[in-house]
Amino acid sequence: MTSASTSTETHTWQASGDDAQPLLSVRELRVHFPTEDGIVKSVDDLSFDLGQGKTLGIVGESGSGKSVTSQAIMGLHRGTRARVSGHILFDGVDLLQISDSELRKRRGRDIAMVFQDPLSALHPYYTVGNQLAEAYRVHHDVSKAAAKTRVVEMLERVGIPSPQTRVDNYPHEFSGGMRQRAMIAMALINDPRLIIADEPTTALDVTVQAQILDLLVGLQKEFGSSIIIITHDLGVVAEMADDILVMYGGKAVERGDADTIFYNPEHPYAWGLLASMPRMDRLRTDRLRPIAGNPPSLINLPSGCAFHPRCVYASDELGCREIVPPFENESEHPVRCLIPHEERLSIFETKVRPTL
Amino acid sequence: MSSTTTEHRREFGEHPDRGGKPLGESILKVTGLKKHFPRKTRGLIPRADSPVKAVDGISFELHRGETLGIVGESGCGKSTAGRTVLQLLAPTGGTIEYLGEDITGVKGAKWRRLRTEMQMVFQDPYGSLNPRQTVGAIVGAPFHIQGIKPPKGVKAEVQDLLARVGLNPEHYNRYPHEFSGGQRQRIGIARAIALRPNVIVCDEPVSALDVSIQAQVVNLLEDLQNEFDLTYVFIAHDLSVVRHISDRVAVMYLGKVMEVADRDELYANPQHPYTQALLSAVPLPDPRKENKRDRILLTGDLPSPINPPSGCVFHTRCPKFRMELSDADKARCTGEIPQQREIAPMHEVACHFPGAPKVEILELEEVPEAPPELLAEIEEVAPPFAEPELLPIGDQDLEADEGRDPTS
Amino acid sequence: MFAYVVRRLFSGVVMLLVMSFVTILLFFSAPVDPARQMCGKSCTPERIEQTRKALGYDKPPTTQWAAFVKGVVVGRDYPADEQMRKEAPQNVVHCSAPCLGYSTVSQQMVASAVGSHVPVSASLALCAFVMWIIAGVVLGVIAALFKGTVLDRTIVGASLLFYAFPTFALALGIYTFFALTPFPGLGHPLFPIPNYTPISQGGVWTWFVNLLLPAFTLALVFIAGYVRITRSFVLESGQEDYIRTAKAKGLESRRILLKHTMRAALTPIVTIAGLDLGGLLGGAIITEKIFNYPGLGKLAFDSTVNYDLPIIVGIVLVAASFVIVANLVVDILYAVIDPRVKYS
């Protein structure tokens, strides 16, 4: 990508190693929903790259547009009233331009998804084996018996005990953790190159979450897939992600590798997120410093920088209420903020870091 | 168990780990509390099957102004414990003492009076507020139900309460759906403190909220605690939030308390293998720490509370049991129920073989205190363009259902 | 499962016992004396008394009810009075189980009167049921797929229109237009005047052709509910997570509809279909009356006009059993459709 040429740093944001072409390249993605009350801009001007075998964490609160992004990549908005524009280049092919049948061939085979709530994401009336076999047979012309062998193999691989009998169970007969394992088995059954995990552990208990994250990391090493993990939990991102994209009000507000976002964040929203989290691993337990106000409503997004009503550093001199801050997409650490770079650094060092 | 705890409290007076915070009077003492839900087979001859032992003999003591955190995974009985302590559910066994008086199974007028002393904040700010009532009616309801007339009148009192929890008193006549999730939780809190109770049981009060909003509500709860000398039972599955807010923490598993200790002691020196696994499972918002951390992974699933494992209920998933114990020791775990016993001052564990873990599970980091003048400065600065905090009507669906096509 | 069915059947029987007791109580308090009804013009008080005794109406209601229940289970003998049976054994008539009593107005056993009308109503109900289920579900799916278009509005509007029309007007219109008036360009009506012919007499085709018009009328009345329920289910299920999963797998939309959506739609459809069918088996009063179809509905109508209480009691109990059985079948089907439902 062009990022390598425009960036003056030795380290480019697209840290995909030797391969210059990223697996997934999203440019100026917009997902707008026309409603009676106006246009809901769920995703607005979103761009990012994801390298082969890498993990991107998308972080944001409710209404930030992170889930809509994942569904746009899967093309799940086709046939709805959503207006999707921009480019989603997967392996060089624009997923927004190809036909429905072309897209369908890629869904589940090249790009697979793991959803938040495995109980509702699995059909209650069919056995787990039936649903996994279906996912395999859509893309592979094999007999039912061969598909079942593959299903049992995958269930075993994700750590489901006695998969030979479990394959004939219904989703409700699985525990929450096992259901999510089954969902992961379903996502991996066609050996996809990209897995999108939308809040994959939010519905799970913390010990089960640890198992599932561990499983995902292990499988990624084994299968070499890229992962987009969407979550509101900064701990999960810290554990999983190579790169992090912070979303707010449908837009990317900051992007960088995990170290940058956690140790040198520059967007006031990212500062706010870090300051408002209680830390279990610190002896100090002074007062939390929450972000004032509420996440914005997408239907009535604040003008200018969407974060300005909650931002202590916003001012009229900077034009926070009028100007939508630009996002230097090709830079290695783009930040959507009108405060000049040097000033951001100094605010972070003097006012934010000492309180984190 | 609890008696020894009291003795130690007398002996030590105040605990050094609490920053010298003196212990208040004992306000709530729970001994051997049980809540079993019977499972009856319907039919001509109802047959009593083995009950679901949601809470199976838990004990703890709370002092005025303290916060007891109860953590555990779903199905461990922490919510049932909270409701049973408040007598919203009738206990199957054990006793609950409130200010030295046995209140187990009180009924009628006494039960109703108890409601003025002990209140609850629920997890779901959507489900726990009647959508057809105005905020004024919701927060004012406790006065009407208890027949209490505040000196300035109910409306003025409710408006004071709204202001106290950070809501605009002019929104007295608004309906819950006009507020965001965090604001709705504030309404629930206003209702809970309306009658100036002594004890509030908070059942997952921040789990449904966004990260930035969680902190607002946690701070509010802390402020109210200081102002009204409240005692909290704070039930949550988030160990970070519990560590932040609690003075004492109890860890529950399958209806039993596995470990209970003062906050810093529990997090720095967990003795029960389950506590250790729990602490080790929480991902830290710190990639460098995460990368070098060893995890204790539990195997298997939570057993059914209908038919819990024999002996120690945790033995089926216990890493220590699996990897470290001799066969003779294992027999003890499977055969004998471990009692909650004190292994250090104010630190009780229900395990036959407690001890520090082999790997470091949570490195507690010393961070320099933030400069007080900086904190004071931050405290004072408000966003210059803060908006009035009320949702336009009809917006809440969009927020609740992110990812869905809002038009369909 | 077996124990569950037995338990449910048992509670159904209890329900029928209660119903029969209540109807007999009502019967007892009716201002019309059935003995007098039977007695004719030249009646003496002695004859009335004798008739009353012969039918057992002189006994208290609990005794009558016990005799009725015994009749249903093992059959009973008339005259009901033991004395009379002894005096004239040659006049004793046996009413074999299930005996629902004796109708003084039509002078026949209730069970045989009701029994001969059941197949007619059952034929009609089943035929209508098949029509409305198939058409209702298909039209509902089409309406959902073309949501918001003219087609969708036409289907929903038309089905509502038929639902809103009073049944008698609908039946009369169909009867007149298709069976009485010569069809344009044909010179004779499209259908013969419906005249129920059992399969044993005229074969399946004749049976079916004669059923078409009344069944079609009933189907039109019922179809609206099925169109609506199917349409809204198909639309709502688009929001279900498991449908999203199916899409994410790369399945074709036709397969998603047929395998995933429709399977899930079975539960609500079976629920209302079972109850509708159960109710309809007990007779469609207006339709049967207008098409002069000798089913339970017409029998109920005629018996009401003639104040034939024993027959009414019989119909009530038979219709109620249909509903109870239909309810049980629906519950059993739940367990077949939904693996999460377990009866124990």
Side-chain angles (χ1 to χ4, degrees):
Chain A
M1 285 309 303
T2 42
S3 57
S5 53
T6 52
S7 171
T8 49
E9 311 271 339
T10 47
H11 171 90
T12 60
W13 174 71
Q14 168 223 314
S16 52
D18 41 12
D19 194 354
Q21 162 112 346
L23 179 69
L24 180 74
S25 189
V26 173
R27 287 293 173 274
E28 287 155 29
L29 179 66
R30 285 183 171 81
V31 185
H32 293 182
F33 297 94
T35 69
E36 284 168 17
D37 306 316
I39 290 178
V40 175
K41 298 179 176 175
S42 291
V43 178
D44 208 31
D45 190 15
L46 181 70
S47 303
F48 63 84
D49 290 335
L50 174 63
Q52 186 74 47
K54 291 284 168 182
T55 300
L56 171 72
I58 301 184
V59 185
E61 297 180 283
S62 55
S64 64
K66 52 192 197 305
S67 287
V68 178
T69 305
S70 67
Q71 289 170 31
I73 297 171
M74 287 299 276
L76 293 177
H77 293 119
R78 288 199 180 199
T80 71
R81 269 195 270 177
R83 294 193 204 131
V84 186
S85 67
H87 303 280
I88 300 174
L89 293 170
F90 179 80
D91 209 9
V93 178
D94 192 340
L95 298 182
L96 291 181
Q97 302 301 322
I98 58 179
S99 68
D100 282 2
S101 66
E102 277 297 312
L103 180 68
R104 207 170 51 234
K105 279 185 208 152
R106 285 179 169 78
R107 276 185 198 153
R109 191 189 68 190
D110 294 335
I111 310 175
M113 216 165 158
V114 177
F115 295 100
Q116 171 174 354
D117 179 2
L119 183 58
S120 62
L122 290 166
H123 199 297
Y125 296 175
Y126 293 106
T127 62
V128 169
N130 179 321
Q131 299 186 55
L132 265 71
E134 185 182 40
Y136 189 58
R137 293 185 72 205
V138 194
H139 300 294
H140 294 86
D141 188 15
V142 294
S143 69
K144 280 192 173 170
K148 190 169 177 178
T149 314
R150 170 77 176 164
V151 169
V152 172
E153 180 191 316
M154 287 311 297
L155 289 180
E156 184 156 28
R157 181 62 200 80
V158 297
I160 288 182
S162 46
Q164 284 287 0
T165 52
R166 281 307 201 161
V167 69
D168 293 322
N169 282 16
Y170 289 93
H172 71 273
E173 294 167 313
F174 275 35
S175 69
M178 292 231 288
R179 277 195 286 266
Q180 197 56 294
R181 284 169 192 268
M183 276 301 291
I184 291 173
M186 181 148 90
L188 286 167
I189 202 161
N190 294 312
D191 216 344
R193 300 176 64 191
L194 172 62
I195 299 166
I196 302 174
D198 187 356
E199 303 266 10
T201 57
T202 307
L204 304 176
D205 280 318
V206 57
T207 57
V208 181
Q209 164 174 292
Q211 294 169 2
I212 295 291
L213 295 181
D214 189 58
L215 176 69
L216 273 175
V217 171
L219 291 171
Q220 181 178 31
K221 273 188 194 135
E222 184 181 329
F223 291 85
S225 324
S226 305
I227 296 181
I228 295 179
I229 185 158
I230 292 163
T231 178
H232 65 278
D233 187 332
L234 290 174
V236 171
V237 199
E239 183 180 348
M240 296 280 296
D242 302 303
D243 299 309
I244 295 169
L245 177 71
V246 184
M247 286 188 75
Y248 188 82
K251 291 186 166 73
V253 293
E254 183 164 4
R255 199 190 61 204
D257 59 39
D259 268 23
T260 308
I261 298 295
F262 276 99
Y263 306 118
N264 294 300
E266 285 189 34
H267 197 285
Y269 175 62
W271 299 340
L273 277 186
L274 289 173
S276 56
M277 272 190 36
R279 291 285 296 256
M280 197 179 79
D281 54 333
R282 299 237 169 114
L283 279 169
R284 194 179 78 193
T285 51
D286 52 3
R287 215 171 147 72
L288 300 174
R289 278 168 291 283
I291 307 174
N294 289 290
S297 139
L298 288 173
I299 208 160
N300 194 9
L301 216 53
S303 61
C305 169
F307 187 61
H308 85 256
R310 304 176 74 187
C311 180
V312 258
Y313 306 102
S315 71
D316 274 330
E317 294 84 76
L318 293 167
C320 294
R321 285 198 287 179
E322 292 85 33
I323 308 164
V324 178
F327 195 67
E328 304 272 328
N329 190 50
E330 308 307 336
S331 132
E332 155 207 343
H333 179 196
V335 181
R336 196 187 283 279
C337 181
L338 292 170
I339 306 171
H341 177 67
E342 281 68 33
E343 199 175 327
R344 285 201 302 259
L345 291 181
S346 107
I347 294 176
F348 179 69
E349 289 304 331
T350 57
K351 296 196 173 161
V352 182
R353 197 197 287 282
T355 67
L356 284 183
Chain B
M1 292 172 295
S2 305
S3 58
T4 49
T5 310
T6 334
E7 276 168 30
H8 273 291
R9 283 183 192 285
R10 284 196 203 103
E11 204 177 304
F12 290 93
E14 56 191 49
H15 200 270
D17 279 0
R18 305 179 167 204
K21 191 170 164 183
L23 287 175
E25 61 182 316
S26 169
I27 199 159
L28 194 64
K29 188 172 168 188
V30 170
T31 316
L33 188 68
K34 286 184 183 175
K35 178 65 198 173
H36 295 181
F37 292 102
R39 295 186 308 137
K40 271 193 192 138
T41 326
R42 286 187 307 139
L44 281 180
I45 313 146
R47 184 177 73 228
D49 279 332
S50 52
V52 179
K53 296 174 181 170
V55 174
D56 201 22
I58 63 168
S59 306
F60 58 81
E61 187 175 9
L62 258 176
H63 296 253
R64 191 183 285 276
E66 257 190 341
T67 299
L68 171 76
I70 302 184
V71 285
E73 298 178 280
S74 49
C76 73
K78 55 189 192 297
S79 285
T80 308
R83 274 154 219 247
T84 314
V85 167
L86 286 194
Q87 311 261 338
L88 297 178
L89 295 169
T92 313
T95 56
I96 305 157
E97 285 169 55
Y98 172 69
L99 288 171
E101 184 192 352
D102 188 350
I103 56 156
T104 324
V106 293
K107 291 194 176 66
K110 263 191 155 178
W111 185 87
R112 218 147 51 111
R113 210 200 59 218
L114 208 58
R115 293 277 77 78
T116 66
E117 313 262 326
M118 297 163 87
Q119 272 293 333
M120 184 137 186
V121 173
F122 297 92
Q123 164 176 10
D124 180 9
Y126 294 78
S128 57
L129 303 177
N130 184 343
R132 295 186 209 298
Q133 281 189 346
T134 63
V135 169
I138 290 170
V139 178
F143 296 108
H144 297 300
I145 293 168
Q146 296 284 352
I148 293 170
K149 290 197 174 60
K152 288 184 290 176
V154 172
K155 183 171 180 182
E157 182 70 21
V158 168
Q159 290 187 324
D160 281 355
L161 282 166
L162 291 179
R164 184 61 203 83
V165 299
L167 294 169
N168 186 341
E170 286 167 21
H171 293 160
Y172 183 87
N173 281 321
R174 305 280 184 142
Y175 288 88
H177 71 263
E178 296 175 66
F179 295 86
S180 69
Q183 290 170 327
R184 263 176 273 203
Q185 198 54 288
R186 288 172 193 265
I187 298 170
I189 292 170
R191 173 174 62 184
I193 61 166
L195 300 175
R196 300 283 182 274
N198 282 320
V199 179
I200 298 183
V201 174
C202 307
D203 188 3
E204 302 266 13
V206 298
S207 340
L209 305 177
D210 275 316
V211 189
S212 69
I213 308 301
Q214 279 193 3
Q216 297 175 2
V217 173
V218 166
N219 280 356
L220 173 65
L221 286 172
E222 287 184 337
D223 292 346
L224 294 172
Q225 179 166 44
N226 293 337
E227 187 174 337
F228 300 117
D229 208 9
L230 291 169
T231 308
Y232 287 145
V233 177
F234 191 94
I235 298 161
H237 66 272
D238 185 329
L239 286 121
S240 311
V241 174
V242 166
R243 172 162 194 275
H244 179 84
I245 204 166
S246 307
D247 301 300
R248 263 177 95 67
V249 178
V251 179
M252 279 185 74
Y253 183 82
L254 275 187
K256 291 185 164 29
V257 169
M258 300 281 105
E259 184 162 10
V260 53
D262 281 349
R263 184 257 314 273
D264 289 340
E265 166 78 2
L266 187 98
Y267 281 76
N269 188 20
Q271 294 289 306
H272 196 290
Y274 179 62
T275 313
Q276 292 159 8
L278 214 52
L279 291 177
S280 137
V282 179
L284 303 173
D286 192 327
R288 284 173 203 158
K289 273 192 193 168
E290 269 306 315
N291 284 341
K292 58 177 189 189
R293 218 167 147 216
D294 278 323
R295 269 227 159 92
I296 304 172
L297 282 184
L298 292 184
T299 50
D301 288 313
L302 194 72
S304 156
I306 294 162
N307 188 17
S310 65
C312 170
V313 286
F314 184 57
H315 83 255
T316 52
R317 298 174 75 198
C318 180
K320 194 163 197 166
F321 177 85
R322 205 172 60 242
M323 294 182 299
E324 294 173 34
L325 296 186
S326 69
D327 283 351
D329 289 346
K330 280 185 180 175
R332 198 167 163 216
C333 291
T334 54
E336 187 190 331
I337 297 174
Q339 296 302 318
Q340 207 173 312
R341 64 195 165 97
E342 193 158 43
I343 55 161
M346 313 279 289
H347 190 160
E348 296 174 26
V349 179
C351 176
H352 293 307
F353 306 101
K358 287 204 162 158
V359 292
E360 181 165 61
I361 49 168
L362 185 68
E363 180 198 344
L364 282 176
E365 178 190 357
E366 281 278 12
V367 198
E369 290 290 328
E373 62 278 7
L374 177 59
L375 290 180
E377 185 194 329
I378 291 174
E379 199 73 29
E380 277 167 22
V381 181
F385 304 121
E387 284 183 341
E389 297 188 11
L390 205 66
L391 290 175
I393 293 176
D395 246 19
Q396 69 287 349
D397 295 338
L398 285 179
E399 296 210 3
D401 253 3
E402 199 218 346
R404 297 296 153 88
D405 176 355
T407 57
S408 56
Chain C
M1 185 69 174
F2 178 72
Y4 172 78
V5 172
V6 169
R7 213 162 52 225
R8 283 290 303 269
L9 283 174
F10 179 80
S11 67
V13 169
V14 171
M15 213 184 314
L16 284 175
L17 282 175
V18 173
M19 277 187 81
S20 62
F21 185 68
V22 170
T23 36
I24 281 170
L25 263 188
L26 288 175
F27 185 60
F28 194 74
S29 59
V32 178
D33 184 349
R36 173 175 283 281
Q37 268 185 323
M38 192 187 180
C39 192
K41 280 174 189 154
S42 56
C43 216
T44 59
E46 293 77 35
R47 271 210 65 182
I48 293 178
E49 191 51 38
Q50 216 176 2
T51 316
R52 187 173 291 141
K53 271 183 124 176
L55 294 172
Y57 294 152
D58 56 332
K59 302 276 185 343
T62 41
T63 319
Q64 282 194 45
W65 177 63
F68 181 86
V69 172
K70 179 175 167 258
V72 173
V73 181
V74 296
R76 64 193 282 199
D77 289 325
Y78 283 105
D81 192 73
E82 209 173 327
Q83 195 76 37
M84 289 172 82
R85 284 207 298 272
K86 271 188 192 149
E87 279 167 11
Q90 72 282 1
N91 287 346
V92 170
V93 182
H94 181 69
C95 174
S96 54
C99 177
L100 294 172
Y102 180 76
S103 159
T104 52
V105 177
S106 52
Q107 310 220 336
Q108 57 180 331
M109 291 299 174
V110 173
S112 67
V114 170
S116 67
H117 288 75
V118 166
V120 183
S121 281
S123 303
L124 193 56
L126 283 173
C127 195
F129 176 76
V130 172
M131 282 187 193
W132 88 58
I133 279 283
I134 293 176
V137 170
V138 169
L139 289 173
V141 168
I142 292 174
L145 293 183
F146 295 91
K147 182 196 166 197
T149 63
V150 178
L151 188 59
D152 172 30
R153 284 183 197 143
T154 313
I155 291 172
V156 174
S159 64
L160 260 182
L161 190 73
F162 289 126
Y163 183 73
F165 242 86
T167 314
F168 79 90
L170 198 61
L172 213 52
I174 287 172
Y175 192 35
T176 315
F177 189 74
F178 291 108
L180 296 181
T181 330
F183 200 71
L186 211 63
H188 60 85
L190 199 58
F191 288 91
I193 289 175
N195 182 19
Y196 179 74
T197 325
I199 299 180
S200 55
Q201 282 174 29
V204 175
W205 179 247
T206 319
W207 170 81
F208 180 68
V209 168
N210 279 292
L211 270 173
L212 260 176
L213 286 186
F216 182 62
T217 308
L218 284 175
L220 279 184
V221 174
F222 279 95
I223 206 167
Y226 294 80
V227 169
R228 287 185 76 94
I229 210 169
T230 312
R231 179 180 180 274
S232 65
F233 197 92
V234 171
L235 287 178
E236 276 167 29
S237 73
Q239 299 288 304
E240 290 288 344
D241 284 354
Y242 55 82
I243 298 297
R244 196 176 55 182
T245 309
K247 281 188 201 158
K249 280 179 188 176
L251 293 181
E252 287 174 42
S253 38
R254 194 163 39 117
R255 190 175 164 82
I256 294 175
L257 178 72
L258 292 179
K259 182 175 170 184
H260 294 262
T261 309
M262 289 321 288
R263 175 72 196 266
L266 272 180
T267 310
I269 291 174
V270 161
T271 309
I272 59 163
L275 294 179
D276 280 351
L277 180 63
L280 201 55
L281 283 172
I285 294 178
I286 295 167
T287 310
E288 287 177 13
K289 183 66 190 166
I290 286 176
F291 284 91
N292 198 22
Y293 232 67
L296 282 177
K298 184 165 176 295
L299 182 64
F301 184 90
D302 296 343
S303 311
T304 311
V305 171
N306 297 330
Y307 220 88
D308 195 344
L309 284 169
I311 300 253
I312 294 176
V313 172
I315 294 176
V316 165
L317 291 182
V318 169
S321 347
F322 282 137
V323 173
I324 287 168
V325 170
N327 231 324
L328 177 60
V329 170
V330 165
D331 282 347
I332 292 171
L333 280 178
Y334 279 160
V336 176
I337 296 168
D338 186 343
R340 291 171 298 182
V341 178
K342 287 264 185 318
Y343 299 121
S344 56

